[in-house]
Amino acid sequence: MSLSGGAFPASIVPMPKKVTQPTNYINFQDANFDQWTQQYLPELYEQEVERYGNRTLSAFLRMVGAEMPMTSDQVIWSEQNRLHIAYEGVDRTNDVLTVTGNNAVRLNQTMVIADGFTTIKALVVAVSGQTITAVPYVAASLSAAGLGTTGLKMFVYGSEFAKGTSQMVGSVEPQLSTFKNNPIIIKDKFEVSGSDAAQIGWVEVSTEDGTNGYLWYLKAESETRLRFEDYLEMSMVEGEAAAAGSGVADANYATSFADTQYTLNDAGTEGVAPLGTQGMFDAIETRGNIWSNFAGAAAPGAGALGDFDEILKQLDKQGAIEENMLFLNRATALDFDDMIAAQAGGGYASTQSASYGLFDNEADMAMNFGFSGFRRGSYDFYKTDWKYLNDATTRGLTKDIDGVMVPAGTTTVYDQMLGSNIRRPFLHVRYRASESDDRRYKNWITGSVGGAYTSSLDAMEVHFLSERCLVTQAANNFVLFKSTI
């Protein structure tokens, strides 16, 4: 018998110098493991490099609002209308004025009528439907007083009666503006097989919530959780209600019933049609104020002050809330800094320079060219960057939203469900909760991995769910900064 075997001695390829060569590294991608016996390992950096810093975005609503439970499919609230009676777009024929909408003007009331910058005072002598007959105090007729025939403005400032006359005829009944919103269900899921959960990696994971270790699935689950938490806030900011007949309202549903929210889905089982929810941006665009292209294309600080003063004039017409918060993207935040610096003699408007304080400048002293708060007119403003508007994977990608002005404090509204007046932050989140189920933030584990033994699935599934909506009260006091250039 004879013995046969591998080649002997082993093949040795001498090197001219004692140095490490690229062929001496372990090639983990080599399918044949031809290099597995090589003796040199690469220099490994075990920790990931956090090249994007803190990647989470959710913080905005925690700064300006609150979270409160609700037990219904809708939240309904009412807001006060204006106290005084005024009309725009009034047409005139001789002494007869025609208004649009409900006519709340009564006989013997006195009014200011304006045509541009021409104003006259008049007394109401007859009222019928949407028409008002008024005669001026200083002329024979409204025509003689110099008023035009279209686009007039007017408001009631009092009344006047002759001696011995009867009391005022009729009364003005206040009307509430009622708004509603409905919660949406937000879901996400992470899944890892049992084999992957038991496999250690050479990269030490580290995430924003403090998760660390050498098991890669820990990072994946943690990032799913962080992403879901961001979605909770982003949905409240970006949400939009599904309009009747829209693709969302009709998507994946075969039959709709006009009198209910219930439909038959494609599988023939009963479900609830998607309704959407009104987020902050949509609420401001629908009921608030929009300012486009703040500061325009002017030099830094040059056009911002004029634009900002126009915004203040609009706030005067609304609730005139003294304290407001500005959440801005980088470009608009710098516009505000330049605007304030210009008033401090920063070079853009030296003729309007103002002293913001005295200090001794030193060579090793850091100059602060940013402003976190300022006062203009009778208003205080607190400015901060909003990461959501700068991040390249959110609104920093579209660049159409420059910032938002949010009133600080609380407001009093009538809650239809509670049947009483309540004080709430202007922005607050309502989430579904009851004694049996709290749906503010639910997460649970299923499968047969990671401590869960609920099914035969050789995997761990981590589920996330929340049901919530945003209440934007008194949206007429909000300002949305948009960009079109």
Side-chain angles (χ1 to χ4, degrees):
M1 296 194 71
S2 62
L3 179 66
S4 62
F8 183 83
S11 176
I12 299 177
V13 180
M15 301 299 296
K17 294 182 180 181
K18 187 185 292 186
V19 294
T20 301
Q21 297 294 319
T23 55
N24 289 334
Y25 286 100
I26 293 179
N27 182 5
F28 293 98
Q29 303 299 322
D30 189 348
N32 297 321
F33 294 100
D34 289 340
Q35 295 183 346
W36 187 249
T37 58
Q38 299 296 333
Q39 67 270 37
Y40 299 113
L41 278 171
E43 184 70 25
L44 297 180
Y45 286 89
E46 297 181 355
Q47 294 183 337
E48 286 185 293
V49 177
E50 299 176 359
R51 60 173 175 170
Y52 294 117
N54 189 323
R55 297 166 298 166
T56 59
L57 302 173
S58 57
F60 170 72
L61 291 178
R62 288 199 296 267
M63 293 176 63
V64 301
E67 293 186 348
M68 289 162 279
M70 60 182 291
T71 57
S72 303
D73 280 332
Q74 282 186 335
V75 53
I76 304 174
W77 72 96
S78 299
E79 298 180 5
Q80 293 177 340
N81 286 321
R82 301 240 182 219
L83 179 63
H84 297 289
I85 301 168
Y87 295 93
E88 293 183 315
V90 179
D91 295 329
R92 180 184 68 83
T93 302
N94 297 324
D95 287 340
V96 178
L97 304 166
T98 303
V99 300
T100 57
N102 295 328
N103 182 12
V105 178
R106 293 168 289 170
L107 188 65
N108 288 101
Q109 287 194 311
T110 53
M111 301 187 304
V112 172
I113 307 174
D115 182 8
F117 291 101
T118 300
T119 61
I120 63 108
K121 313 288 196 308
L123 176 68
V124 177
V125 296
V127 177
S128 177
Q130 292 180 299
T131 63
I132 303 163
T133 303
V135 292
Y137 278 93
V138 296
S141 65
L142 296 182
S143 298
L147 294 179
T149 58
T150 59
L152 304 179
K153 300 177 182 179
M154 66 183 195
F155 66 90
V156 175
Y157 71 87
S159 62
E160 183 180 359
F161 289 84
K163 292 182 179 181
T165 56
S166 299
Q167 186 58 281
M168 174 74 74
V169 177
S171 64
V172 177
E173 295 294 332
Q175 294 184 344
L176 296 174
S177 292
T178 301
F179 303 98
K180 64 181 180 180
N181 206 359
N182 51 270
I184 57 172
I185 301 173
I186 309 167
K187 296 181 180 181
D188 208 337
K189 185 184 78 170
F190 167 75
E191 181 176 348
V192 61
S193 69
S195 296
D196 290 340
Q199 179 166 297
I200 193 170
W202 59 267
V203 177
E204 182 181 3
V205 303
S206 179
T207 60
E208 285 81 356
D209 65 350
T211 298
N212 58 73
Y214 288 90
L215 297 175
W216 189 255
Y217 84 90
L218 292 177
K219 177 181 179 63
E221 189 277 335
S222 173
E223 291 202 355
T224 302
R225 182 184 302 271
L226 293 173
R227 190 182 305 112
F228 179 72
E229 291 174 355
D230 281 351
Y231 285 163
L232 295 184
E233 178 167 299
M234 293 163 66
S235 297
M236 299 299 95
V237 172
E238 298 281 1
E240 194 160 316
S246 67
V248 170
D250 295 335
N252 300 323
Y253 291 85
T255 306
S256 297
F257 301 95
D259 57 338
T260 69
Q261 299 175 11
Y262 293 93
T263 64
L264 295 178
N265 60 26
D266 292 341
T269 58
E270 193 174 76
V272 180
L275 300 175
T277 188
Q278 187 178 55
M280 183 187 69
F281 287 162
D282 186 47
I284 300 176
E285 293 204 63
T286 304
R287 300 182 273 121
N289 307 285
I290 300 175
W291 188 271
S292 298
N293 304 322
F294 181 77
L305 185 61
D307 287 354
F308 193 69
D309 286 347
E310 290 299 318
I311 295 174
L312 296 187
K313 295 175 184 177
Q314 181 65 15
L315 296 181
D316 289 338
K317 299 176 182 178
Q318 305 302 323
I321 298 172
E322 183 177 359
E323 293 187 340
N324 297 270
M325 294 174 286
L326 292 162
F327 296 88
L328 309 171
N329 67 3
R330 173 60 60 212
T332 309
L334 293 176
D335 282 333
F336 274 89
D337 286 345
D338 292 337
M339 176 188 75
I340 302 169
Q343 308 312 305
Y348 303 121
S350 58
T351 58
Q352 302 178 27
S353 63
S355 174
Y356 275 74
L358 301 175
F359 57 89
D360 295 326
N361 192 17
E362 299 176 0
D364 58 350
M365 179 177 180
M367 294 291 292
N368 183 5
F369 288 100
F371 296 86
S372 59
F374 60 95
R375 184 175 181 85
R376 179 73 173 171
S378 58
Y379 298 96
D380 290 316
F381 299 94
Y382 306 97
K383 178 176 70 69
T384 186
D385 296 334
W386 189 5
K387 188 176 181 181
Y388 179 65
L389 301 182
N390 293 321
D391 193 281
T393 57
T394 54
R395 280 290 179 173
L397 176 66
T398 61
K399 299 180 180 179
D400 59 325
I401 302 294
D402 292 335
V404 63
M405 180 186 296
V406 179
T410 60
T411 182
T412 301
V413 295
Y414 181 79
D415 190 298
Q416 299 278 10
M417 300 300 178
L418 298 179
S420 61
N421 287 329
I422 56 175
R423 295 193 67 84
R424 292 289 186 264
F426 289 96
L427 278 177
H428 58 273
V429 173
R430 302 298 299 266
Y431 60 89
R432 294 291 292 270
S434 67
E435 294 181 356
S436 58
D437 194 20
D438 186 339
R439 298 169 69 83
R440 174 183 174 272
Y441 188 120
K442 295 183 64 175
N443 67 287
W444 65 97
I445 299 176
T446 60
S448 61
V449 176
Y453 307 100
T454 60
S455 71
S456 60
L457 179 66
D458 183 19
M460 176 179 68
E461 294 183 333
V462 184
H463 302 266
F464 304 92
L465 181 146
S466 180
E467 187 171 1
R468 57 181 56 205
C469 67
L470 182 70
V471 175
T472 307
Q473 295 178 170
N476 58 297
N477 295 287
F478 289 65
V479 179
L480 183 65
F481 295 90
K482 301 191 69 175
S483 179
T484 60
I485 57 176

